[in-house]
Amino acid sequence: MIVLIPSYEPDARLVDLVRALRTADAGLTVLVVDDGSGPAYRAVFDAARALGAEVLTQPRNVGKGHALKAGFAHIEANHPGAGVVCADCDGQHSVVDILRVATRVRDSQAAMVLGARQFSGSVPARSRAGNAITRRMFALATGHRLHDTQTGLRGYPASALEWLQTVPGDRFEYELNLLLEATSTHREIEEIAIATIYLDGNTSSHFRPVADSVRIYAPLLKFVGSSLAAFTVDTVALLVLHALTGSLLVSVLGARVVSSAVNFAINRSFVFDHGRSRRLGAAALRYYALTLALLTANLASLWVLTAAGVPLLGAKVATEAVLFVASYRVQRAVVFAAPHALAAPTGPTSVSPGTPASQESHKRRRSHA
């Protein structure tokens, strides 16, 4: 088992972590990836190397996701068959919890084991709020509930290393992308409870609240933008056609023909990363099958609501709000999924050397797409 620690401008806590890991298990391989910290931090990495860690140095800072993927590639090439546990370098993860996740990776069939923080005690407000928002958005987008979507303590079996390198994202968004990809490709996610540790109000974090939040929420934000554009086209067309024809059926059908063409083009080109990898015909066939199902539900809802006295515009807004979530989930998981994502994954794929967590309940949370 390899412990992978991505590091950018670390302090002595990285050295303390390497020392504690090597003390706990002298045979444990620790791989530190220096994400372009620069000459000012060379002494910290030299100290980690002196304690027996392997240190992989990136020429410039690219981001946590890029550093993790560099580490995965190094492990796959130099430590074939080894699983990996990723941990942060700032003291947020205890050695006890890191080793517990490593043990669970060995024993579990899951493609990903998350160390889920319990957020008890003194937790910075932005960390508590950020995780709560991301957790709810993840559940909304995928239909799967996880306790901690932003944990940096994660374990993966050797069979996942090739897949881990294909998931897009170079910065903090990469770890959320992994969860989204795992649910859409039928990979199991398991969580175990770990301690919540924040030192000095989490001031050592390099997370940028605005820029990195936008990156993390980008998949959902792009879909929201695409849906709003299609909703605007659809609503304008609906009102115009209804004013011209007086027929609700003709208006709904005509408006949907126009708006669905706009929505399909935007989603395939800009929203879903694998949209273009699926053949145009196959994606279009699945998209319009979904459109037909949503159109049926849309029309039925409009008839019911308008018959009950709800104005057409209000009925339209309420209906689209309900169907939005279903549309996103199906498009991400089926319509624009990478071709291989519709089948469950099969069998395994295959520098320089150098306080206990809260009781685990053994309750396993799994996520199946």
Side-chain angles (χ1 to χ4, degrees), residues 71-302:
F72 295 144
H74 178 84
I75 292 167
E76 188 176 33
N78 295 279
H79 301 278
V84 58
V85 174
C86 302
D88 292 339
C89 69
D90 55 4
Q92 285 199 31
H93 306 132
S94 72
V95 171
V96 171
D97 284 336
I98 292 171
L99 297 180
R100 287 174 59 244
V101 170
T103 299
R104 192 63 215 148
V105 170
R106 293 190 189 100
D107 296 340
S108 173
Q109 298 299 312
M112 188 185 306
V113 176
L114 305 180
R117 296 163 294 177
Q118 301 308 291
F119 296 100
S120 57
S122 178
V123 178
R126 74 170 186 172
S127 299
R128 189 186 297 275
N131 192 270
I133 292 170
T134 307
R135 182 170 65 239
R136 285 169 175 77
M137 290 185 70
F138 181 82
L140 183 69
T142 67
H144 301 290
R145 296 185 179 278
L146 293 174
H147 184 76
D148 187 359
T149 57
Q150 294 183 318
T151 179
L153 180 54
R154 304 180 178 207
Y156 309 96
S159 59
L161 286 174
E162 182 177 351
W163 167 69
L164 291 167
Q165 297 170 64
T166 67
V167 176
D170 284 333
R171 295 189 180 275
F172 286 103
E173 79 279 7
Y174 172 68
E175 291 179 309
L176 182 61
N177 287 347
L178 283 176
L179 299 180
L180 292 169
E181 289 282 323
T183 57
S184 66
T185 53
H186 311 283
R187 287 175 166 84
E188 184 182 358
I189 302 172
E190 181 179 339
E191 291 187 297
I192 64 172
I194 64 170
T196 305
I197 303 172
Y198 284 103
L199 303 176
D200 302 324
N202 202 27
T203 54
S204 63
S205 173
H206 295 288
F207 183 84
R208 300 166 299 175
V210 176
D212 290 320
S213 292
V214 169
R215 286 179 175 272
I216 287 173
Y217 301 138
L220 296 176
L221 293 174
K222 287 189 292 184
F223 186 77
V224 168
S226 170
S227 298
L228 286 175
F231 170 77
T232 301
V233 171
D234 194 65
T235 301
V236 171
L238 173 69
L239 296 175
V240 170
L241 289 172
H242 192 261
L244 293 175
T245 67
S247 169
L248 181 61
L249 178 59
V250 170
S251 302
V252 170
L253 290 175
R256 190 50 56 95
V257 168
V258 176
S259 65
S260 63
V262 172
N263 187 245
F264 175 79
I266 294 175
N267 286 355
R268 184 171 186 268
S269 298
F270 302 110
V271 177
F272 296 99
D273 293 306
H274 298 302
R276 294 186 187 183
S277 68
R278 177 168 289 283
R279 289 184 303 171
L280 176 62
L285 181 62
R286 294 178 186 276
Y287 177 84
Y288 281 101
L290 171 64
T291 298
L292 181 60
L294 293 175
L295 177 60
T296 302
N298 187 295
L299 185 58
S301 177
L302 287 178

Side-chain angles (χ1 to χ4, degrees), residues 290 294 322-331:
L290 171 64
L294 293 175
V322 172
L323 295 179
F324 169 85
V325 175
S327 178
Y328 177 83
R329 291 179 182 175
V330 175
Q331 288 189 55

Side-chain angles (χ1 to χ4, degrees), residues 25-93:
D25 184 350
L28 189 67
T29 299
V30 179
L31 172 63
V32 176
V33 179
D34 170 12
D35 185 27
S37 301
Y41 295 87
R42 185 173 300 155
V44 177
F45 292 106
D46 285 345
R49 185 182 290 109
L51 290 169
E54 297 180 18
V55 178
L56 184 65
T57 301
Q58 302 283 78
R60 62 188 180 88
N61 174 246
V62 180
K64 184 179 183 181
H66 188 274
L68 286 170
K69 284 187 274 192
F72 295 144
H74 178 84
I75 292 167
E76 188 176 33
N78 295 279
H79 301 278
V84 58
V85 174
C86 302
D88 292 339
C89 69
D90 55 4
Q92 285 199 31
H93 306 132

